[in-house]
Amino acid sequence: QVQLVESGGGSVQAGGSLRLSCAASGYTFSRYKMGWFRQAPGKEREGVAGLHSDGFTSYADSVKGRFTISQDNAKNTLYLQMNNLKPEDTAMYYCAADPRTWLYRLLVSTDFAYWGQGTQVTVSS
């Protein structure tokens, strides 16, 4: 009964900030690798940021220096702090989780078994 529920999306102007949250339940949160992905209309789903159970993180080149992934194990919640947002960040953002710790890739959607419903982020110029 793994469940992931995203929240925190919305509409902001370029240069603004948002913090996305992913509330997880049904599993040992700290033992899963977690990731954030996004998909814009007409485009492929792409990895944005990932965090392995050992603390290793990875970011897409397009968001390095602007986005930060983190988790609060006590609250079973994953976060994506998004700063200096750009119009090209506009997309549906998805939280993902996977228990297979031997799969070390963090930005590959096919390596994640569980997904949330998504939260929309819209950035205007």
Side-chain angles (χ1 to χ4, degrees):
Q1 61 266 19
V2 173
Q3 293 186 4
L4 303 172
V5 181
E6 303 96 333
S7 63
S11 298
V12 299
Q13 293 185 331
S17 298
L18 287 172
R19 188 181 72 165
L20 306 184
S21 298
C22 173
S25 63
Y27 66 100
T28 304
F29 182 76
S30 62
R31 296 183 180 180
Y32 277 53
K33 72 176 184 181
M34 307 293 296
W36 286 100
F37 295 79
R38 67 186 181 187
Q39 187 168 22
K43 294 187 177 181
E44 296 289 325
R45 183 170 298 186
E46 63 174 339
V48 176
L51 191 155
H52 199 270
S53 58
D54 65 359
F56 179 82
T57 60
S58 185
Y59 296 91
D61 289 341
S62 60
V63 307
K64 287 181 179 178
R66 299 189 298 119
F67 291 8
T68 302
I69 188 171
S70 63
Q71 63 184 27
D72 186 333
N73 291 330
K75 296 183 177 180
N76 290 340
T77 301
L78 181 75
Y79 301 98
L80 183 67
Q81 180 64 47
M82 309 165 68
N83 297 326
N84 191 25
L85 284 162
K86 303 176 179 180
E88 51 263 43
D89 295 319
T90 295
M92 184 73 75
Y93 283 72
Y94 299 90
C95 172
D98 195 280
R100 296 169 293 179
T101 57
W102 59 92
L103 299 179
Y104 227 82
R105 298 184 299 185
L106 296 175
L107 303 179
V108 180
S109 61
T110 52
D111 282 1
F112 288 81
Y114 303 104
W115 294 82
Q117 188 174 359
T119 185
Q120 179 67 39
V121 172
T122 302
V123 184
S124 60
S125 61

